Amino acid sequence: MKKLAALVAVIAVVSTAAAPPARAADTIKIGAAFALSGSIAVYGEGFKKCVDLAVEEINAKGGIKGKKIEIVYEDNKSNPKDCVTAVRKLITVDKVPVIFGPAGSSNFMATAPVAQENKVVLISAQGAAVGLTRAGDYIFRVFPSDTLQGPHLAKLAMSKGYKKVPVMYVNNDWGLGLKNAFVDAYKKMGGTVTDLIPYDEKKTDYRTELLRASKGNPPAIVNLTYINEGAVQFKQAFEMGIKTQWLCGSAARAPKMVELAGKAAEGVIGTYPSVPQNTKAYQAFKEAYKKKYGDDKIPIFGDYNYDMVYLTAKAIEKGGYTADGIRKALPQVAKGYKGVTGDKTFDDERSPKYAEYGIWTVKDGKIEDYKK
Amino acid sequence: MDPISYYLQTALNGVLAGCVYALFAMGLTLIYGVLNFVNFAHGELIMWGAYFLFLFMGEPFGLPLYAALPPALALTGCLGIAMDFSVFRHIRRANRLTLLIAAMGLSVFLRNAAQFFWGAEVRTYGLEVTAGMRILGLTLTTPQIAIIAVTILCVAAVYVLFFKSRLGKSMRALSDNLDLARISGIDTKRAILAAWVISAVLAGIGGILLALDTNLSPEMGVINLIKAFAATLIGGVGNLWGALLGGLLIGLAENLGVLFVSPSYKDGIAFVIMVIILLARPYVIIGERSD
């Protein structure tokens, strides 16, 4: 029995060692640690479609210096642990120099140090958390950081005449980052933050937090919340008879939030990074998407994924197919590059320098653009 | 809101949370009393109870709330029995560590099963959101009144069952000494079965009340189990009235804590209380009975 086991082990070792080397050099391989199963797989599918679309377009035009792009998809199962496993696999087995990172700030941040240590470029197309790219100089994003959203939210509060507000926020990387960005900007504009109320995710009862926020009946409360948390909070505030203007960030802007909160979400307003869809580039992208998938509804953040592929391809073309080449070329090719999601010029933290922000609201049970 | 109402409202929030914790804790402590182990899968009874109601209120049943309640609670009771039959009955005499790990495994399995059927996202029963009533400057909603009323009813029912009925007496005898109870001719099988049903139904009722007041998610059992466990420890493991008191205390402590400490430590408060109790009353772990 022992001999048999040893034999099996030997065969296993030999066969892995003798496995043919990755089809070298005839394709340009890019890793993608996407959520293809698990709780946010619904997003992952959409990202994949948009990435595939961009790759198909680039390959149809001759690829990168004659070589076709090939995306190596790895399922990250929507949780930080498997995200790390997926990224490690892409680095060690597929030996790709660049990886499209997982969605979800906590997922991405779990993998960023791994990529940084291995000196592999990791790019996010949907992370807004302020500290997302801080793991090091190999980590990039094409989605605007909340350092940009904070001032917009402060401006919104000031323009509505709210000079004193309490701030509630979800106590994680995203909430804390946006809170700091908001508070800094708001104070500079002359506003006063009356109370700071951090709270945990995934709780079911926020009544006492709400009670504390509503102390002294503030005309407006800033609440940097998620879909589920926001739904519970608006519902409970409604039940408690708290009448205030809720000011939110982008993470609560979802039909699911309105579905869960019902009429309690009516009138909530908030900021979000908006992509002007009337541009020529966006229309062309939409048209191509419709042609390929027969659907004109662009998946959420799909446009950012699309831009990410083009930017990466440009960087490989300019800097060569190595991690260091891509890392150095990315800011150069991004400078002034107008993607479907706007100007992709990077700032010092390897995040987009510019972003446009819109204001959303809930009206008659639907998420709409806010009109004064 | 004037300062007195402000604190009273907080206390009321604490009592409401406490009532639900107490319902969970009573079921947990009951199983501990009778079978002498902490059922770490108790949280999943809470969650499945809430989801069973969701099942009967949704398609294809489409039952109204009151009609969906009996089958939902019946199924939760059955799940309690199924837990015992599938796992715990076979390892009745095993040591506590074995039981603990089995319960944890069962908990993960049941949580994943719920996620498989209903998905990971948060759900609601879809009841209309209504503004709460104003009573003496305090706000109270219908589900909240139900929470208080149902908790009182459950406590009364448990009291009658345990101290006035034969079945309750046999359960208490079992809780004192399983072997002695068995040789004195008590039908231990029946008593253990009853303990599982009561524990599961209490968990189910609590889960449903919690979900009515807030919403449902496959994770809802986990965090509430910790609160229930802390409540059980405070009250003395195996002690029903202690569980009730412990639940109320935890609810009050964490809600008052929000006003005086940062709300981000809300869950931490239950942990701190739990650790202090464990330090002060270590026999809970060694296994000596505290009642």
Side-chain angles (χ1 to χ4, degrees):
Chain A
M1 198 61 204
K2 253 186 189 166
K3 270 186 186 163
L4 185 70
L7 187 68
V8 170
V10 168
I11 292 173
V13 169
V14 170
S15 59
T16 26
R23 282 163 297 141
D26 48 356
T27 55
I28 300 240
K29 286 210 277 183
I30 298 174
F34 278 16
L36 303 176
S37 70
S39 59
I40 55 169
V42 53
Y43 293 94
E45 293 294 327
F47 302 161
K48 184 173 179 294
K49 279 183 172 175
C50 293
V51 167
D52 287 344
L53 174 64
V55 168
E56 198 180 286
E57 287 176 6
I58 296 169
N59 284 345
K61 285 180 209 144
I64 301 171
K65 291 184 179 161
K67 287 182 186 166
K68 299 250 187 282
I69 300 176
E70 182 194 338
I71 306 285
V72 183
Y73 286 104
E74 201 57 43
D75 183 8
N76 70 34
K77 299 184 184 138
S78 310
N79 68 69
K81 189 181 124 272
D82 288 304
C83 283
V84 171
T85 311
V87 165
R88 275 196 200 287
K89 189 252 169 191
L90 289 168
I91 294 172
T92 54
V93 179
D94 300 298
K95 304 206 187 316
V96 294
V98 51
I99 296 171
F100 298 150
S105 292
S106 53
N107 290 339
F108 189 87
M109 278 161 124
T111 59
V114 179
Q116 179 67 28
E117 270 168 38
N118 288 285
K119 298 201 170 12
V120 166
V121 176
L122 187 72
I123 314 177
S124 164
Q126 53 278 318
V130 174
L132 198 80
T133 56
R134 296 208 179 130
D137 53 355
Y138 284 84
I139 317 298
F140 291 80
R141 71 169 128 203
V142 296
F143 192 81
S145 153
D146 278 330
T147 37
L148 297 177
Q149 180 164 194
H152 278 91
L153 189 56
K155 224 182 281 169
L156 173 65
M158 281 312 219
S159 73
K160 302 276 288 175
Y162 303 127
K163 296 205 168 65
K164 276 184 180 178
V165 290
V167 179
M168 300 174 70
Y169 61 96
V170 50
N171 200 9
N172 64 12
D173 295 320
W174 175 80
L176 200 65
L178 181 52
K179 184 268 292 179
N180 289 338
F182 168 78
V183 170
D184 287 350
Y186 189 62
K187 281 184 180 159
K188 269 184 206 141
M189 293 174 195
T192 312
V193 174
T194 55
D195 197 1
L196 286 173
I197 303 152
Y199 53 79
D200 286 340
E201 286 172 72
K202 291 186 178 170
K203 294 185 65 69
T204 45
D205 177 13
Y206 292 102
R207 289 204 177 83
T208 306
E209 287 89 332
L210 292 164
L211 194 66
R212 180 165 152 180
S214 65
K215 196 178 180 188
N217 298 321
I221 301 175
V222 170
N223 189 2
L224 311 174
T225 187
Y226 282 162
I227 295 172
N228 297 338
E229 287 72 10
V232 174
Q233 288 158 355
F234 299 143
K235 212 163 108 179
Q236 291 182 339
F238 185 87
E239 288 170 353
M240 290 163 71
I242 295 173
K243 290 196 174 58
T244 190
Q245 175 60 60
W246 292 104
L247 300 171
C248 298
S250 50
R253 180 182 174 267
K256 183 79 187 169
M257 190 280 285
V258 185
E259 182 199 320
L260 289 171
K263 64 181 177 197
E266 277 303 296
V268 169
I269 57 176
T271 49
Y272 74 100
S274 66
V275 175
Q277 305 204 348
N278 48 10
T279 61
K280 234 179 173 173
Y282 203 93
Q283 287 305 321
F285 161 62
K286 213 169 164 178
E287 202 53 47
Y289 185 87
K290 194 178 175 182
K291 209 171 149 200
K292 186 166 162 67
Y293 298 110
D295 183 3
D296 59 357
K297 268 171 90 182
I298 303 294
I300 184 163
F301 305 138
D303 33 18
Y304 287 97
N305 278 275
Y306 183 82
D307 276 354
M308 175 168 69
V309 180
Y310 269 97
L311 268 182
T312 309
K314 278 182 185 299
I316 294 172
E317 193 162 22
K318 188 177 171 74
Y321 184 57
T322 62
D324 272 308
I326 296 167
R327 174 176 68 93
K328 284 184 192 130
L330 260 175
Q332 298 167 16
V333 296
K335 195 167 184 194
Y337 175 77
K338 296 270 190 295
V340 298
T341 60
D343 191 327
K344 303 304 327 161
T345 306
F346 283 116
D347 64 9
D348 298 340
E349 289 213 298
R350 299 166 302 283
S351 293
K353 204 169 180 177
Y354 313 105
E356 288 191 37
Y357 283 82
I359 302 169
W360 61 277
T361 186
V362 181
K363 204 178 160 198
D364 302 325
K366 284 205 180 66
I367 301 240
E368 294 186 349
D369 275 334
Y370 178 72
K371 289 178 197 81
K372 274 162 212 170
Chain B
M1 191 178 260
D2 62 287
I4 298 170
S5 311
Y6 182 65
Y7 291 110
L8 276 181
Q9 181 75 54
T10 308
L12 179 66
N13 292 348
V15 169
L16 284 163
C19 281
V20 176
Y21 296 156
L23 286 174
F24 299 154
M26 283 165 78
L28 191 65
T29 213
L30 176 63
I31 289 297
Y32 184 90
V34 172
L35 294 170
N36 208 21
F37 82 100
V38 178
N39 179 18
F40 270 91
H42 193 70
E44 275 49 55
L45 288 170
I46 295 169
M47 179 263 294
W48 273 88
Y51 272 97
F52 280 140
L53 187 72
F54 183 77
L55 174 77
F56 286 111
M57 284 177 75
E59 292 300 319
F61 302 100
L63 297 176
L65 179 65
Y66 62 88
L69 266 174
L73 288 177
L75 272 185
T76 318
C78 292
L79 183 63
I81 298 174
M83 273 183 173
D84 191 43
F85 269 62
S86 60
V87 179
F88 298 117
R89 203 170 58 136
H90 309 290
I91 48 174
R92 195 84 81 209
R93 298 270 167 193
N95 66 32
R96 285 185 175 204
L97 193 64
T98 312
L99 284 159
L100 180 81
I101 295 189
M104 282 178 163
L106 190 61
S107 154
V108 173
F109 170 76
L110 286 172
R111 196 161 11 155
N112 283 321
Q115 206 161 322
F116 176 78
F117 288 123
W118 285 289
E121 77 253 52
V122 171
R123 310 255 182 182
T124 66
Y125 292 132
L127 302 176
E128 185 77 358
V129 187
T130 48
M133 287 164 254
R134 282 246 168 233
I135 303 164
L136 303 170
L138 305 177
T139 335
L140 209 58
T141 62
T142 324
Q144 290 177 330
I145 294 169
I147 286 177
I148 296 175
V150 170
T151 307
I152 294 172
L153 269 176
C154 285
V155 170
V158 166
Y159 173 77
V160 170
L161 189 80
F162 270 78
F163 296 96
K164 303 288 169 199
S165 79
R166 263 186 83 83
L167 183 67
K169 279 182 190 147
S170 62
M171 271 193 266
R172 276 160 56 213
L174 218 69
S175 155
D176 270 346
N177 190 321
L178 183 71
D179 292 317
L180 204 60
R182 190 171 283 150
I183 53 172
S184 348
I186 287 173
D187 186 349
T188 51
K189 277 196 178 139
R190 200 171 74 111
I192 290 173
L193 208 64
W196 276 106
V197 171
I198 297 164
S199 168
V201 169
L202 284 174
I205 292 174
I208 287 170
L209 287 172
L210 187 68
L212 278 174
D213 191 30
T214 59
N215 46 34
L216 309 93
S217 84
E219 303 285 324
M220 67 190 282
V222 186
I223 188 69
N224 283 296
L225 177 77
I226 293 163
K227 304 290 173 59
F229 189 51
T232 309
L233 287 177
I234 293 175
V237 185
N239 184 336
L240 275 172
W241 309 127
L244 177 66
L245 196 72
L248 289 173
L249 260 173
I250 296 268
L252 277 171
E254 64 177 21
N255 277 283
L256 288 168
V258 168
L259 297 189
F260 302 108
V261 202
S262 168
S264 52
Y265 301 120
K266 202 172 179 185
D267 287 336
I269 289 170
F271 276 106
V272 169
I273 296 175
M274 198 162 85
V275 169
I276 292 171
I277 300 280
L278 282 171
L279 288 173
R281 305 174 67 175
Y283 42 72
V284 171
I285 285 187
I286 305 169
E288 279 176 37
R289 304 303 305 275
S290 52
D291 52 353

